[in-house]
Amino acid sequence: MASTESKRQQRFASVLQQDLADIFQRDGAQWAPDTLVTVTKVRATPDLAIARIYLSFLNAKDPQQAIATIKSHAGEIRYKLGAKIKNQVRVVPQLEFFIDDTNEYVARMDQLFDKISKEPRQEE
């Protein structure tokens, strides 16, 4: 089976990403106070029944706690999403939330490279 997503999956994921971004912009503060929640990526299963949503948290004291809280509100978030997309889909997908730690990874790599560049060079 090919790992690439179909155009249909990509379009669907794109619609979900936009609508979820709107939901988090409007209602995100109640789930993650003082935190900017960004929907970084959405992946849909081939049957569009499950959407995997990757979130990044800016200013979150504890991203693990933030994602746990959002997961506990998945039903409510799915309901709000359903209200937005009900005319475009037959079934509102199950939502699975994950932390997108790409930014943390990049920051760690930057720190490592800084550290390496500051170390004295050894003669060959």
Side-chain angles (χ1 to χ4, degrees):
M1 188 177 142
S3 66
T4 56
E5 291 179 291
S6 70
K7 288 280 182 233
R8 181 169 168 247
Q9 280 170 276
Q10 289 171 352
R11 272 196 315 271
F12 185 66
S14 168
V15 167
L16 293 184
Q17 184 168 355
Q18 184 60 55
D19 288 338
L20 285 165
D22 291 346
I23 291 168
F24 280 110
Q25 190 173 5
R26 199 176 53 243
D27 303 321
Q30 64 188 348
W31 305 310
D34 304 322
T35 303
L36 178 64
V37 180
T38 306
V39 181
T40 56
K41 185 169 47 188
V42 175
R43 294 272 184 262
T45 54
D47 61 0
L48 309 182
I50 299 171
R52 294 184 176 93
I53 295 104
Y54 294 85
L55 304 173
S56 76
F57 300 95
L58 195 64
N59 298 332
K61 290 168 190 60
D62 183 357
Q64 293 299 332
Q65 178 61 47
I67 195 82
T69 303
I70 285 171
K71 284 179 178 179
S72 74
H73 289 280
E76 181 185 347
I77 296 167
R78 183 175 182 233
Y79 178 81
K80 288 174 187 274
L81 177 67
K84 283 179 160 288
I85 65 171
K86 65 181 182 289
N87 298 329
Q88 301 162 42
V89 296
R90 276 178 289 152
V91 178
V92 179
Q94 278 306 127
L95 305 179
E96 295 178 356
F97 293 98
F98 302 93
I99 294 177
D100 181 346
D101 55 6
T102 309
N103 292 343
E104 290 168 36
Y105 176 79
V106 169
R108 269 198 309 276
M109 289 297 121
D110 284 347
Q111 286 174 341
L112 284 173
F113 287 128
D114 283 351
K115 191 174 163 190
I116 290 168
S117 69
K118 288 182 177 115
E119 286 178 0
R121 287 188 104 78
Q122 294 171 347
E123 294 300 316
E124 298 282 319

